[in-house]
Amino acid sequence: MNLYYSPDSDEIKDEIEDARLVLRPVEVSELLDLHPNTVYRLMKRGSLPAQKLGGTWRIYKHDLIRFVEQYSQ
């Protein structure tokens, strides 16, 4: 059992090279155990930053992490 990660480790590469940098509001609602309408309300209010890409709303992971950190204190 390694107590440290090797930079060449596949586990680290999977985390860093995660293709899912953005999430749909429905995915965010599932992650946070909220109703989808609540997520849309938070987006509309500006509490949860979101962008419209190709006609659909997307939430960047880093914005979601900041949102959770801000409201979990």
Side-chain angles (χ1 to χ4, degrees):
M1 174 195 221
N2 287 338
L3 296 178
Y4 62 91
Y5 287 110
S6 164
D8 298 324
S9 169
D10 287 337
E11 291 176 81
I12 296 294
K13 286 181 184 176
D14 289 344
E15 289 178 27
I16 293 172
E17 296 173 0
D18 187 2
R20 298 178 50 99
L21 295 176
V22 293
L23 300 167
R24 295 176 297 152
V26 172
E27 294 169 320
V28 171
S29 72
E30 291 171 3
L31 285 171
L32 300 181
D33 194 26
L34 297 171
H35 193 277
N37 289 346
T38 303
V39 174
Y40 282 104
R41 203 174 313 119
L42 290 167
M43 290 166 34
K44 183 177 180 180
R45 202 183 324 164
S47 301
L48 178 59
Q51 288 76 34
K52 212 167 194 180
L53 301 172
T56 58
W57 286 101
R58 297 290 189 246
I59 296 104
Y60 286 99
K61 275 186 175 182
H62 59 86
D63 289 334
L64 179 61
I65 291 167
R66 274 193 230 126
F67 171 81
V68 170
E69 289 173 348
Q70 180 182 1
Y71 288 98
S72 65
Q73 294 179 9

